Amino acid sequence: MFNRSRKVACPECNEANFWKGDPKSEDVLSCRACQAEIITYADYIESTIRKEAERMLAEFTEADTAHDLAYLKEMLARPEQRARV
């Protein structure tokens, strides 16, 4: 999978918790400090994949506005480079 930490903060006490071994989908991570149930492994994996997908999409869709505007000005200044529609 991704080279990411398996650390999960407890929503109740904010204690760091970790998955150990090879958990099954239905296994529930319980906080080692306050014993609250945090998340199932299946939900943890889904959340991790969703966050990674969001991060990757943001990485590829971020625009370098200054660079894009400079490029646009350069292309508009040269009529021979314009596409004919």
Side-chain angles (χ1 to χ4, degrees):
M1 199 176 148
F2 308 118
N3 189 13
R4 301 278 182 209
S5 168
R6 292 177 14 149
K7 180 172 78 170
V8 181
C10 175
E12 301 292 324
C13 68
N14 209 30
E15 179 72 24
N17 295 276
F18 301 89
W19 292 100
K20 294 181 182 175
D22 190 18
K24 294 178 177 49
S25 303
E26 64 276 0
D27 287 352
V28 177
L29 181 63
S30 297
C31 180
R32 60 187 177 157
C34 71
Q35 309 307 317
E37 290 186 353
I38 300 172
I39 193 169
T40 65
Y41 192 64
D43 290 340
Y44 165 75
I45 293 297
E46 182 180 332
S47 170
T48 301
I49 291 171
R50 185 178 315 278
K51 288 176 189 172
E52 182 68 10
E54 289 171 0
R55 184 195 66 76
M56 289 178 72
L57 283 172
E59 181 180 317
F60 289 108
T61 58
E62 285 182 3
D64 182 0
T65 308
H67 178 267
D68 292 344
L69 285 175
Y71 179 74
L72 180 59
K73 285 180 183 179
E74 180 184 339
M75 290 298 108
L76 290 174
R78 296 190 283 173
E80 70 277 4
Q81 295 296 323
R82 294 183 198 163
R84 294 191 178 194
V85 181

